[in-house]
Amino acid sequence: MATDPDVDTSRTVVQVYVPAYQRDVWDEHADELDMSRSEFVKTMVQAGRRGFGGDPVAESPQSGDIDPSDGSESLRTQILESLEGQGCLSWDDLLAAVTGDIETQLEETLQELQEAGQVRYSGREGGYVLETEENE
């Protein structure tokens, strides 16, 4: 899959407000699929667009999204598509193509966990900790 140079493949934050019970259902399903909430919502929206005849947004091989349900087959596909689209790639370029912007993904996931009250930053402890009744 060749990447269109005019398509912005950078990541951006999208927020949506749903009832708490809906978020809980999504989180449970995402856990079953070994996905983050963000990845689950993105995947379900794309699947829904296809189901309603919408044109799904083209995925870039550089997006770094590895479908956990596909395991190594998805990684294999990303490598082949990256090489097909770019020709010759160094180890570092291939690594960047399949890992994407992991720092942004980490930041978004930590923010989600903090918003859900599952994780908090503790200056006293020098990092992120699980939120428990003992920590409050």
Side-chain angles (χ1 to χ4, degrees):
M1 163 193 260
T3 303
D4 183 345
D6 296 326
V7 174
D8 182 2
T9 60
S10 64
R11 295 185 175 271
T12 187
V13 175
V14 175
Q15 290 184 324
V16 61
Y17 294 92
V18 297
Y21 75 86
Q22 183 68 61
R23 183 199 62 212
D24 293 342
V25 170
W26 290 354
D27 286 349
E28 189 175 306
H29 195 176
D31 285 344
E32 290 171 8
L33 297 171
D34 195 27
M35 298 172 115
S36 70
R37 181 187 307 145
S38 292
E39 188 63 24
F40 175 79
V41 171
K42 176 183 154 190
T43 301
M44 293 302 117
V45 167
Q46 289 302 91
R49 287 175 50 83
R50 283 189 290 273
F52 286 97
D55 293 328
V57 176
E59 293 290 332
S60 163
Q62 286 80 17
S63 68
D65 296 326
I66 297 173
D67 182 354
S69 65
D70 287 346
S72 64
E73 194 59 38
S74 177
L75 180 59
R76 178 186 308 257
T77 300
Q78 283 188 295
I79 291 169
L80 293 173
E81 287 178 349
S82 295
L83 290 171
E84 180 183 315
Q86 303 293 320
C88 179
L89 292 172
S90 69
W91 171 267
D92 289 338
D93 290 339
L94 274 172
L95 182 62
V98 299
T99 59
D101 187 358
I102 192 71
E103 289 181 30
T104 300
Q105 292 177 26
L106 174 61
E107 182 178 14
E108 289 172 358
T109 303
L110 279 171
Q111 181 155 356
E112 288 175 2
L113 290 168
Q114 290 177 85
E115 289 171 359
Q118 295 177 288
V119 170
R120 69 178 169 82
Y121 182 81
S122 170
R124 176 180 279 179
E125 296 184 48
Y128 293 92
V129 295
L130 289 176
E131 187 65 87
T132 64
E133 291 180 20
E134 297 168 4
N135 292 339
E136 294 177 355

